[in-house]
Amino acid sequence: MWTFATAGRVVAGPGASDGVPDVVAGLGRRVLVVAGGHADVDALAGGDEVTVWRHRGEPTVEDVRAGVARAREVRPDVVVGWGGGSVVDTAKAVAALCRGDGDVLDHLEVVGAGRPLPADAPPVVAVPTTAGTGAEVTANAPVRVPERGVKASLRGRTLQPAVAVVDPVLTLGCPPDVTASSGADALTQCLEAFTTPRATPLTDPLAREGLRRAARSLVRAHAHGDDLAARTDMALAALLSGMALANAGLGAVHGLAAALGGRLGAPHGEVCAAVLAATTEANVRALRRTDPDGAGLRRYAEAAAVLTGRASARPEDAAAWLGDAVGTLGVRGLAALGLGEDDVPEVARAALAASSTRANPVALGEDELADVLRASA
């Protein structure tokens, strides 16, 4: 038996964001817009009952508290998240908490109390301006806890946006480094959702199609930011990756990224990209040893065929293609992002305990994860 959940409605394609004012008007009068630093929300900001609250970067506990405090003043009927994936996640977290009286740490997993989120929350309209996390269709919101050196998530059905509006035109202004890191995240999510044992017949077509679009367009979108066809492919790859991961899970790349993100403070997508090829290589090597005739290697062979365009591709070719792509994108290694050798054992232990790692196609030990970190430096 399989279940599948996503945003209540998805509107996608060039120009889709033109309809956001009408979408919002249909949900309520008092509007809180959580917007990225450079997001153009003039079409929404003119109303008497519209409040714009700007946010930049991956949300910390204090950021969420500040947003919730503002929302409790505004008492919005609807919350709009207009910006990159982190902005959308912030909007989701603010909406989920603003009608209760608790603190974000009451509901945060791992380092918080992990209590269920309040059942009552205003609907969220998610308008991503980057093509990466798929936050517009997921039911979680990652939050950094700098004093603990970790990143943990809020999870619950009230975090699922009511409407996702995916307009690739909004991504045309993304700088190359953001295009690279966010796009690598989308590609990673498609790959991990496809290769996890938790994949289903409902998520496979989404992950496969997202992987195909990312494979043909990520490098092109990075090199030619005004290529609308490439931007459309990446916007859809991100959307599809979010739908797939929300219902199938991820893997060790995101387990490592969770452990590294809170410690390094580097962009999530860049961290994923840094460890992607080495983790894939480690997974394939472990599957060769433990289950040479199993479904895991067949999945990687199919992914390799999609990535390379060669039907005869072997599982190992996936890691090689990913390494080449990350190199072309100019993604920094973990050492340049601030990881030292002394950090490796603790990060490996944290990654081993991460929820995403439990969905990996093969069990990797602490030593194997440490080797991935060193190979990604």
Side-chain angles (χ1 to χ4, degrees), residues 339-353:
L339 185 73
E341 173 60 31
D342 292 344
D343 300 319
V344 168
E346 186 175 344
V347 172
R349 282 194 295 273
L352 193 63

Side-chain angles (χ1 to χ4, degrees), residues 36 74 76 110 146 165 227 230 233 252 309 329:
V74 172
V110 181
V165 180
D227 186 330
D233 266 352
L329 295 172

Side-chain angles (χ1 to χ4, degrees), residues 308-338:
T308 65
R310 301 194 312 270
S312 61
R314 301 170 66 247
E316 288 78 3
D317 295 331
W321 187 95
L322 293 167
D324 289 343
V326 167
T328 300
L329 295 172
V331 174
R332 295 176 292 173
L334 293 180
L337 295 177

